[in-house]
Amino acid sequence: MRSDRIKKGLETSPHRSLLRATGLKDEDFGDKPWIGVANSFNNIIPGHIHLNQIAERVMDGIRDAGGVPFVWGVPGICDGIAMGKGEGMNYSLPSRDHIADNIELMVGAHSFDGWVGVTNCDKITPGMLMACGRINLPALIITGGPMMPGNTNGQSTDLITCFEAIGQAKVNKISEDEVEKIEKTCCPGAGSCAGLFTANSMACMTETLGLSLENCAAMPAIDLDKIELAYNTGKRAVELVRKDLKPRNFVSEKSFENAITVDMCIGGSTNTVLHLPAIASEFDISLPLEKFDEISRKTPNLTHISPSGADEMVDLYKAGGIPAILNRLNTINLLNTDEQTVNLKTIGEIAEGAAVLNNNVIRTISDAYSKQGGLAILKGNIAPSGSVVKVAAVSEKMMCHEGPARIYNSEKEAMKAILTPNNIKEGDIIVIRFMGPKGAPGMPEMLSPTSAVAGMGLIESVALLTDGRFSGGTRGPCIGHIEPEAWDKGPIAILKEGDIIQIDIPNRAVNVKVSAEEIEKRFKEFKLPERSLSGFLNKYVQTLD
């Protein structure tokens, strides 16, 4: 075992003396595996406030299986809190890579034999999955589970209800008192936000990749079975070490195809298109953007979980969770069934052992919401390298749309315009640029603008485009991840106020009605805006060059 570097030998006596100061005994330096526990607990993020309890049970499982647990803290940023205020969201995406580094540092420096990731939110889970592939020591992940939905005036509510309430109040659809009531009731306690937003989408990806125990993703944070699952996760970590089973024994290119298939079936966050390729890269696997569209075209969309519909993650759990989704997909041969998992059985075996418990939440194939998946990749002269839209959350009325561009060079500028009465009109296409990884920097989410538009009742008449990204809670014709980004002199940089933009989701196209000659002329006149960066964000941008 790797830990023998410290456990054995005269030369490492000083190392052991330090560990004895932490409480280790003679028996801990024998044949017991040393298992790290990367715990992202904090009391800032609702999805993380209960993770100490989960981490403790993971460590109980490790001890009872004959291992020695070591725990440390992993940082976490709450996108909902950081969203749209100052530079907070600039730090969110860069934190993903920082988390992967954190785990590599701790596991590498302390000679652990394996590790468990205790996680739950948007960038924390992807960062831990990246670390799984990079380090390739025995590992598995436990996600903390979704929050229960809130209840406001007898109606099911969640965080997106509150974001959209702002727009409703601005057009006098509801009062500020009603917004406050939603604020106080929509997020009732521990867990990642209740809908199929980025945190829960990535939990579903983790389970499908085979790196968390069965039924982990949709199981609510407050469910007592989550504590039992944590205990079994700890025990399984020791078993993986003893059998020398590593993430790359479980995760292959076909595992990522399974994950994308599930993503398209459930209509997950557009951010999966950002995170899955980054995770795949750490496994030395290439996951091109075209793969998402290829799989989307043959995968039916079977669920409409918030923001796409009224169901929440707890409804998916009661309907059978990810195993039930796998079962449904297996009936039409869309899964790579031989892929192994940390459950020590294949994806096919999990699918065959599951059942759909509610056909209203997980529809039958013949009753699918659509024959194609929940995400689509669009290209055109605005996005030569591609862009992403959550089709499952777009009204039929907006699948094809043409309208004038309303140009904004920051989220703050766009929000001011959106919330100005009678400024944004039906048919408009809001363009928010310089929001990409380099341009913002950090590629912040545009949930505030999209929610404001939805709350104002314009989601079926106004579209949004950005080289940044949208929240998993965004709904409507919102096209993000436009590449190349404006800072890299992508065509979005030279769009002008009033340019006519055409969106054709069925044909996967997004174009501006401007000639190639005019585009070339505009680029000759284009200059990047001036800015000054320092500290962490400056370091992050340098890694992107």
Side-chain angles (χ1 to χ4, degrees):
M1 288 186 285
R2 291 175 84 247
S3 56
D4 287 346
R5 302 171 184 175
I6 296 173
K7 291 174 183 173
K8 299 179 180 179
L10 177 66
E11 294 82 359
T12 52
S13 179
H15 307 61
R16 292 191 294 275
S17 72
L18 289 168
L19 288 165
R20 289 182 189 277
T22 70
L24 263 61
K25 307 298 182 185
D26 286 349
E27 57 268 25
D28 297 322
F29 297 106
D31 294 328
K32 293 182 177 182
W34 284 7
I35 310 294
V37 178
N39 179 15
S40 63
F41 162 82
N42 60 56
N43 69 353
I44 305 167
I45 310 177
H48 293 229
I49 58 175
H50 64 305
L51 294 188
N52 270 349
Q53 186 181 13
I54 289 177
E56 286 295 337
R57 284 303 283 162
V58 168
M59 291 190 284
D60 287 343
I62 291 168
R63 292 187 191 97
D64 288 353
V68 181
F70 298 86
V71 65
W72 76 91
V74 173
I77 289 174
C78 179
D79 286 13
I81 296 171
M83 191 85 60
K85 295 296 180 183
E87 62 182 11
M89 269 300 288
N90 297 80
Y91 291 95
S92 178
L93 181 59
S95 75
R96 181 192 69 185
D97 304 75
H98 176 72
I99 287 160
D101 292 346
N102 171 293
I103 295 167
E104 180 187 359
L105 289 168
M106 294 298 288
V107 171
H110 298 108
S111 299
F112 296 144
D113 300 304
W115 64 281
V116 175
V118 181
T119 174
N120 212 30
C121 283
D122 295 37
K123 310 308 168 299
I124 301 92
T125 298
M128 290 195 180
L129 291 171
M130 289 168 67
C132 285
R134 182 190 303 178
I135 302 167
N136 199 36
L137 285 173
L140 70 165
I141 304 296
I142 179 165
T143 50
M147 185 186 295
M148 296 297 289
N151 186 306
T152 311
N153 298 328
Q155 298 294 314
S156 179
T157 53
D158 57 33
L159 179 66
I160 303 309
T161 313
C162 197
F163 267 99
E164 294 188 0
I166 297 168
Q168 292 176 308
K170 287 290 182 179
V171 294
N172 298 316
K173 288 187 175 181
I174 62 174
S175 68
E176 290 191 23
D177 286 344
E178 288 175 293
V179 175
E180 184 179 5
K181 190 170 186 179
I182 294 170
E183 173 192 327
K184 291 179 176 179
T185 55
C186 69
C187 295
S192 49
C193 297
L196 188 57
F197 315 142
T198 303
N200 292 322
S201 295
M202 290 311 303
C204 294
M205 298 301 93
T206 304
E207 186 173 335
T208 308
L209 286 170
L211 290 176
S212 64
L213 293 184
E214 191 174 334
N215 236 338
C216 182
M219 185 183 293
I222 63 171
D223 196 309
L224 291 178
D225 286 345
K226 184 68 79 172
I227 302 302
E228 182 68 16
L229 192 75
Y231 179 76
N232 291 331
T233 296
K235 291 184 69 175
R236 183 56 48 85
V238 174
E239 185 176 0
L240 295 179
V241 170
R242 294 201 186 282
K243 293 181 176 179
D244 195 30
L245 292 173
K246 303 169 183 176
R248 294 191 185 203
N249 294 118
F250 303 115
V251 178
S252 69
E253 183 175 353
K254 291 185 182 299
S255 303
F256 281 100
E257 291 176 358
N258 284 341
I260 296 171
T261 300
V262 167
D263 191 21
M264 298 305 163
C265 178
I266 62 178
S269 165
T270 54
N271 283 318
T272 57
V273 179
L274 183 70
H275 297 315
L276 286 176
I279 296 162
S281 178
E282 297 287 0
F283 281 86
D284 293 330
I285 293 169
S286 175
L287 202 61
L289 198 60
E290 288 74 18
K291 177 67 71 175
F292 289 82
D293 204 57
E294 172 193 325
I295 292 175
S296 178
R297 288 180 182 274
K298 62 183 181 182
T299 306
N301 175 220
L302 302 181
T303 74
H304 267 189
I305 302 167
S306 177
S308 301
D311 292 330
E312 300 281 6
M313 285 299 293
V314 65
D315 300 304
L316 176 61
Y317 178 63
K318 291 177 180 178
I322 292 303
I325 296 290
L326 296 174
N327 175 275
R328 195 71 100 198
L329 291 169
N330 197 35
T331 64
I332 50 174
N333 301 314
L334 285 183
L335 292 178
N336 299 302
T337 54
D338 292 335
E339 297 311 291
Q340 299 293 323
T341 74
V342 294
N343 298 283
L344 303 183
K345 53 185 177 180
T346 66
I347 282 289
E349 290 169 334
I350 293 170
E352 289 173 3
V356 175
L357 305 178
N358 187 329
N359 288 332
N360 292 320
V361 176
I362 303 173
R363 288 194 172 188
T364 61
I365 303 301
S366 61
D367 190 35
Y369 285 103
S370 63
K371 293 181 179 180
Q372 296 188 357
L375 301 180
I377 307 302
L378 312 186
K379 291 188 176 183
N381 64 2
I382 293 177
S385 299
S387 60
V388 187
V389 63
K390 188 170 184 173
V391 185
V394 179
S395 163
E396 280 295 326
K397 298 177 182 178
M398 293 298 287
M399 287 295 180
C400 294
H401 180 70
E402 180 175 308
R406 305 297 305 276
I407 305 296
Y408 307 103
N409 290 333
S410 71
E411 181 184 8
K412 181 179 180 180
E413 184 182 338
M415 275 298 287
K416 181 179 179 181
I418 292 167
L419 296 178
T420 299
N422 302 315
N423 185 38
I424 301 299
K425 297 177 173 58
E426 292 187 4
D428 285 350
I429 297 180
I430 298 167
V431 178
I432 312 174
R433 61 191 180 191
F434 296 106
M435 291 288 103
K438 294 180 184 178
M443 203 179 188
E445 291 181 345
M446 304 288 108
L447 179 58
S448 294
T450 62
S451 295
V453 168
M456 294 166 72
L458 297 173
I459 207 65
E460 292 190 348
S461 60
V462 171
L464 294 94
L465 273 64
T466 183
D467 54 359
R469 57 196 176 89
F470 292 118
S471 163
T474 290
R475 63 187 178 99
C478 302
I479 300 167
H481 302 245
I482 288 176
E483 285 287 339
E485 64 170 293
W487 196 267
D488 278 338
K489 299 182 179 180
I492 190 174
I494 51 83
L495 296 180
K496 291 185 177 181
E497 185 83 5
D499 282 348
I500 301 301
I501 293 174
Q502 294 176 316
I503 297 169
D504 186 346
I505 295 175
N507 289 308
R508 304 298 199 260
V510 56
N511 289 288
V512 60
K513 294 176 75 171
V514 173
S515 68
E517 292 77 15
E518 174 63 17
I519 290 174
E520 183 179 355
K521 176 186 174 184
R522 291 184 188 182
F523 268 124
K524 288 179 180 178
E525 300 169 351
F526 173 74
K527 292 182 180 179
L528 283 173
E530 294 184 4
R531 72 173 182 194
S532 177
L533 293 176
S534 62
F536 183 84
L537 292 178
N538 186 47
K539 291 179 183 178
Y540 172 72
V541 169
Q542 290 177 16
T543 68
L544 301 175
D545 291 330

